[in-house]
Amino acid sequence: RQEQLIRSMESYRSEEAGRLVIGVSYFRSLYLIPPMVKKLRQKFPGVLVSLQEMNSDLLRKGAAEGKFDFAIVNLPVDDSILDVTPLEPDTLVLAVPNHLLSSLPETHKSGSISIRQCTQLPFVVVTPAQELRRLFDRLCASADLQPRIAVEVTGVNTAWSMAQSGVGAALLPLQLVGREQFDKNVTLLTLTDTNYSRQPVIVTRRGQYIAPYTQYAIDLLTGSK
């Protein structure tokens, strides 16, 4: 693609300056990207970092078309045209406002719960277009649960805020909520139904040029640096 070719030519001219275009989801841009960008800028201060934040379906499409230097998406991806580097898996937890815990069996005190035991919980969910919602729907279907959906929101950060405000329980990535400082009004429970996790990966279009600062960013994200 022309845009990728231009970026490659710029990278050839200078290894110390350029534009790093990263495709990333909204929530991962909050917890995963900032520490990497800080270290990258220390080594390559002349590099402009451009975050293209969008949902996973658009990220996969953009990566396949070579619109990013790299993108971070969840498996599965088309590895016939994309090179794939795994990252730390996302662990999903149920964030339950404490005032709603009384609707759960006493077994929740062990720190875990089955989704089929959540018949009385109101839920905060993201929109059906998002992978996290599709996973939630599959989880409920496998448990033959008709969830009581109280609120539908666009982003996981809003869902998290709703849970913190006591509106309802939300299925969220531990990597996001576990890194935040929050009050004691919410309890995080693991799901016993199965090991629900998501595997994020870094993808680049096969054959595209990887600038030194791009590789350094990837190495930072994977812990190689």
Side-chain angles (χ1 to χ4, degrees):
R1 296 296 190 276
Q2 184 177 8
E3 183 180 353
Q4 180 64 36
L5 179 61
I6 292 172
R7 289 203 302 274
S8 299
M9 292 173 63
E10 290 175 347
S11 299
Y12 274 121
R13 286 197 295 269
S14 173
E15 294 187 354
E16 301 298 327
R19 182 168 179 256
L20 174 60
V21 181
I22 303 172
V24 64
S25 65
Y26 299 101
F27 100 85
R28 286 203 178 96
S29 68
L30 286 176
Y31 84 88
L32 190 60
I33 299 299
M36 178 275 289
V37 172
K38 181 179 180 181
K39 292 180 180 179
L40 176 74
R41 294 277 302 158
Q42 290 171 349
K43 185 172 178 65
F44 297 99
V47 171
L48 167 66
V49 180
S50 174
L51 297 184
Q52 306 294 312
E53 297 170 280
M54 58 194 72
N55 66 40
S56 292
D57 292 337
L58 292 176
L59 288 172
R60 290 190 187 90
K61 184 175 184 292
E65 295 173 351
K67 291 184 176 179
F68 316 118
D69 289 297
F70 67 83
I72 302 174
V73 298
N74 297 316
L75 290 179
V77 298
D78 185 355
D79 57 9
S80 67
I81 59 174
L82 296 172
D83 289 324
V84 179
T85 303
L87 292 170
E88 175 190 1
D90 290 336
T91 299
L92 299 177
V93 294
L94 195 63
V96 183
N98 287 347
H99 75 92
L100 295 175
L101 291 174
S102 60
S103 70
L104 298 176
E106 287 292 307
T107 53
H108 82 268
K109 294 181 179 179
S110 66
S112 60
I113 194 71
S114 168
I115 196 70
R116 59 175 48 89
Q117 296 174 307
C118 299
T119 55
Q120 301 303 312
L121 276 183
F123 285 97
V124 178
V125 297
V126 293
T127 58
Q130 300 188 54
E131 286 183 335
L132 187 60
R133 172 62 180 278
R134 296 196 288 266
L135 191 153
F136 174 80
D137 289 344
R138 290 197 302 270
L139 176 62
C140 292
S142 66
D144 197 26
L145 172 69
Q146 294 291 328
R148 296 172 55 200
I149 296 177
V151 182
E152 186 177 87
V153 300
T154 300
V156 292
N157 299 303
T158 305
W160 175 224
S161 295
M162 289 284 183
Q164 288 179 293
S165 297
V167 174
L171 185 66
L172 297 168
L174 179 62
Q175 279 78 358
L176 174 66
V177 301
R179 285 173 165 80
E180 292 209 3
Q181 297 296 321
F182 61 95
D183 57 36
K184 297 181 179 180
N185 293 329
V186 177
T187 296
L188 303 180
L189 301 176
T190 59
L191 296 170
T192 60
D193 304 80
T194 186
N195 181 22
Y196 272 85
S197 63
R198 300 186 301 179
Q199 179 58 63
V201 293
I202 296 173
V203 293
T204 56
R205 183 175 172 83
R206 187 159 296 167
Q208 78 179 41
Y209 174 69
I210 305 295
Y213 51 79
T214 301
Q215 187 60 56
Y216 186 72
I218 293 172
D219 290 342
L220 287 172
L221 290 169
T222 60
S224 301
K225 292 291 186 179

